[in-house]
Amino acid sequence: MEAINLSDRLSRYMDAGFPILYLNTFEEKLAIEQIQKAATTQKLIQWSYADGYSVYSLLKKEYQVPAERESFLNVMEVNEPDDFDRSLFVIKDAATVLEDPVSVAYLKELAIKISSGLECTVILLSPILRIPKELENFITILEMEYQTEEEIRQDIQNFCWDYEISISDTLLKEMALNFKGLTKSEIFSILSLAYSGSGELSRTDMKLIFEQKQQKIRKSGILEMIPLKETLEDIGGLEVLKKWLQKKAVVMKNLKQAEAFGVDFPKGVLIAGVPGCGKSLSAKAAASLFEVPLLRMDMGRLMGKYVGESEENLRKAIALAEAISPCVLWVDELEKAFAGIGGIGGGAEVTTRLFGNFLTWMQEKKSPVFVVATANDILKLPPELLRKGRFDEIYYVGLPKEEERRHIFEIHMKKRRPGDLSGINLDELAHATDGYSGADIESVVKDSIESAFVSKRTAVTTKDILASIHQTHSLSEIMREPIEQMKKLYEQNKFKNASV
Ligand code: ADP
């Protein structure tokens, strides 16, 4: 994220003669404030559905034509491009205007004039990003930047002063960290909501902040904030991977000191391999271990139908993750997202471009966004992704070995029937489940518990579990061939085994 504020960025773009700036934001009021700040010496022309056409000079309203008489098309028909000289033309509700081909044609004409010397900047304002092909070369997208932790802290402090609430330094710090990734007005409304509930701000409001943030992130459509439940303790086996994550945790938990010492921010890890063997579990446990939020990126939803929309979605998701950082960004089923790379046709080209953008970001990433990418089928992954410098490490996860299976049984029994555990022969269960995945073992445990309950027994025994093992088809029974092929490939590529 750039540190300079929006009004400075706007002035720079205007000075440099960029014809159309697209402010993609929900924060219209804040955007207008920033635009006015950047526009003090210019004429400001503003159009919106609700207010029609208004002209301000030195920020004093000169005249306004009401909306019912002044559609956007009217404005463009009545005014010559030269009438926009030395002005800033702000178009609110831009996404709807851009749906109309005639309006687009007028804007293009104006943009061409600006490119050849007319002193004007068009600012499109809308929470929806819609870039018509005709305007693609003229438009620069500007994102409202997120607040820094310091600014957020100041906002909370101001809020407390206004409402005469006292807040401890530790709570202030914790809140500021949790608010990262939200905009100024979102932060204000959450603070108001918390305050109206209890008349104060306290640690119990953290849950509210989390929920609100979760909603906002969900609304962004591409990222999802996942509550942290799983820890390293919930993973049976995968000792090598766990140890590696613990090492990275030291850095992620001491970012400032690590940076001062010259340690590079970790980039992340690619975990590939057999389904149901703990890849997703590891992504979740990593976030708990690092004590940071977990964001899941839905690559399938990145693809948009307008030109540039998919790239913009990716950019936005990355910007949001960076604003929330330090965090874990979990890219689930990576191979699905990048299927079709290098192919021919619109869809494949977009995927290839997206993939390129993602790689560049991974390569150049300076923020503490720790990427955990998980993939079942590495055969489908483009080789560039596996090259050094993208991820810190690539691990493959195979079917659990006997000792690991023992541990997985123990974990799942302990979770559900801790009292029965002492009577269970874990070694026998582990021995009987060669070729079973972690998910298979979990479902065996669940089944046997259910059966014991249904037959009105008071405890689950080894015999119950063995019976349910015999009724379950293991993963390797179902897909022996692909699993073996995968294993060979991983060994050929010298990926590290996540288990010992
Ligand atoms: P995938 O490798 O496909 O991402 P998951 O991590 O989602 O698989 O595993 C599915 C479920 O199976 C987990 O939620 C967990 O309950 C169980 N499981 C899989 N592997 C393990 C493991 N190594 N230790 C404990 N439970 C496991």
Side-chain angles (χ1 to χ4, degrees):
M1 282 277 102
E2 286 186 58
I4 53 171
N5 64 32
L6 185 65
S7 66
D8 286 345
R9 279 197 290 159
L10 280 171
S11 323
R12 284 190 202 178
Y13 280 106
M14 288 182 224
D15 291 348
F18 281 71
I20 307 181
L21 305 176
Y22 203 131
L23 271 178
N24 184 209
T25 177
F26 275 104
E27 305 260 326
E28 190 176 274
K29 194 166 152 264
L30 211 66
I32 293 287
E33 276 169 26
Q34 297 286 314
I35 292 169
Q36 288 178 342
K37 227 164 132 189
T40 41
T41 58
Q42 283 176 319
K43 185 164 76 170
L44 182 71
I45 301 171
Q46 199 167 292
W47 183 87
S48 77
Y49 264 117
D51 299 328
Y53 178 62
S54 334
V55 177
Y56 301 76
S57 124
L58 287 172
L59 299 188
K60 278 212 313 281
K61 193 183 278 189
E62 286 195 339
Y63 60 89
Q64 177 176 1
V65 185
E68 57 275 19
R69 282 198 282 122
E70 207 60 302
S71 72
F72 183 76
L73 264 184
N74 266 355
V75 173
M76 299 310 281
E77 273 160 10
V78 169
N79 292 291
E80 289 296 319
D82 286 340
D83 296 332
F84 292 99
D85 198 20
R86 263 174 266 172
S87 69
L88 191 56
F89 184 14
V90 179
I91 303 165
K92 294 185 186 174
D93 312 311
T96 337
V97 167
L98 295 175
E99 271 184 349
D100 170 37
V102 186
S103 303
V104 169
Y106 273 120
L107 280 173
K108 188 176 139 202
E109 193 191 343
L110 183 56
I112 292 172
K113 279 274 185 179
I114 299 171
S115 300
S116 51
L118 185 78
E119 266 186 62
C120 169
T121 310
V122 177
I123 300 188
L124 301 172
L125 208 58
S126 170
I128 305 163
L129 190 77
R130 182 162 297 159
I131 301 182
K133 188 94 184 145
E134 298 89 324
L135 294 180
E136 218 183 6
N137 290 341
F138 299 108
I139 289 181
T140 306
I141 304 161
L142 284 186
E143 199 80 45
M144 297 274 290
E145 79 248 67
Y146 292 102
Q147 308 268 96
T148 63
E149 205 174 320
E150 194 41 58
E151 286 164 341
I152 297 174
R153 209 181 299 182
Q154 196 56 55
D155 284 348
I156 304 174
Q157 193 87 70
N158 291 344
F159 184 90
C160 291
W161 281 326
D162 288 350
Y163 288 86
E164 296 178 3
I165 315 166
S166 66
I167 186 167
S168 71
D169 273 356
T170 33
L171 185 60
L172 181 65
K173 199 160 174 257
E174 216 172 302
M175 272 199 174
L177 192 67
N178 279 294
F179 271 132
K180 280 176 81 181
L182 295 175
T183 58
K184 204 178 173 76
S185 66
E186 283 163 343
I187 292 172
F188 182 78
S189 45
I190 296 176
L191 286 172
S192 307
L193 192 61
Y195 173 70
S196 68
S198 59
E200 56 171 10
L201 294 180
S202 65
R203 180 146 287 111
T204 49
D205 296 322
M206 236 43 116
K207 192 159 167 275
L208 181 78
I209 300 177
F210 181 85
E211 284 166 1
Q212 293 291 321
K213 191 153 141 182
Q214 202 176 18
Q215 271 192 31
K216 129 109 196 198
I217 291 167
R218 192 172 303 134
K219 274 188 222 145
S220 79
I222 305 135
L223 292 184
E224 189 190 349
M225 190 149 119
I226 306 212
L228 299 180
K229 288 192 293 254
E230 289 84 356
T231 67
L232 281 198
E233 319 265 278
D234 294 301
I235 308 176
L238 310 187
E239 293 304 327
V240 178
L241 174 60
K242 284 197 273 191
K243 208 167 264 156
W244 185 84
L245 286 172
Q246 273 162 333
K247 214 170 102 190
K248 294 290 163 189
V250 179
V251 179
M252 289 297 285
K253 287 208 272 190
N254 300 285
L255 283 169
K256 280 212 174 85
Q257 295 92 320
E259 197 182 7
F261 196 80
V263 180
D264 281 358
F265 285 143
K267 285 181 188 300
V269 60
L270 169 59
I271 309 173
V274 182
C277 288
K279 298 185 299 294
S280 312
L281 202 54
S282 305
K284 296 175 193 165
S288 305
L289 179 68
F290 299 169
E291 296 171 6
V292 297
L294 174 66
L295 301 173
R296 197 172 77 109
M297 175 140 77
D298 188 338
M299 297 300 266
R301 291 176 68 179
L302 275 182
M303 305 299 268
K305 66 175 192 285
Y306 291 97
V307 176
E309 202 180 348
S310 312
E311 285 96 323
E312 178 54 18
N313 283 343
L314 178 66
R315 219 174 58 77
K316 262 193 189 165
I318 286 174
L320 187 54
E322 293 199 324
I324 291 171
S325 72
C327 64
V328 167
L329 179 65
W330 170 26
V331 186
D332 194 14
E333 299 193 285
L334 191 68
E335 77 274 36
K336 279 208 182 131
F338 295 129
I341 282 186
I344 307 159
E349 276 168 29
V350 173
T351 315
T352 310
R353 264 204 317 269
L354 266 186
F355 176 65
N357 293 354
F358 182 73
L359 281 191
T360 314
W361 175 68
M362 281 295 291
Q363 183 93 22
E364 294 171 358
K365 187 165 69 71
K366 297 267 183 309
S367 54
V369 176
F370 188 93
V371 178
V372 180
T374 53
N376 289 331
D377 190 355
I378 206 154
L379 286 167
K380 290 204 189 106
L381 286 177
E384 299 95 293
L385 193 67
L386 311 178
R387 231 182 270 146
K388 274 266 164 229
R390 314 292 193 199
F391 292 97
D392 296 318
E393 202 58 82
I394 299 175
Y395 282 102
Y396 90 83
V397 171
L399 285 168
K401 303 189 178 90
E402 190 163 331
E403 181 50 36
E404 295 183 304
R405 295 196 298 271
R406 187 186 187 286
H407 195 180
I408 299 174
F409 269 113
E410 189 183 359
I411 288 169
H412 287 289
M413 276 307 287
K414 209 177 193 171
K415 223 183 250 174
R416 298 173 174 87
R417 301 279 314 166
D420 295 347
L421 196 56
S422 58
I424 301 277
N425 186 341
L426 292 171
D427 292 331
E428 199 178 342
L429 297 178
H431 191 70
T433 41
D434 187 23
Y436 284 65
S437 70
D440 288 338
I441 294 177
E442 184 187 21
S443 87
V444 160
V445 170
K446 279 188 192 164
D447 278 353
S448 52
I449 295 175
E450 190 189 83
S451 305
F453 175 76
V454 171
S455 7
K456 300 200 165 47
R457 270 176 283 119
T458 50
V460 179
T461 62
T462 310
K463 222 173 105 209
D464 292 326
I465 305 178
L466 283 171
S468 121
I469 291 172
H470 295 312
Q471 280 162 19
T472 310
H473 292 287
S474 73
L475 188 71
S476 70
E477 257 178 80
I478 302 161
M479 45 187 290
R480 180 172 299 279
E481 264 293 296
I483 290 179
E484 268 169 22
Q485 202 186 348
M486 217 186 255
K487 190 162 174 238
K488 237 187 253 154
L489 193 83
Y490 293 142
E491 280 161 7
Q492 272 169 18
N493 278 283
K494 302 201 167 41
F495 296 149
K496 291 200 171 152
N497 191 338
S499 314
V500 273

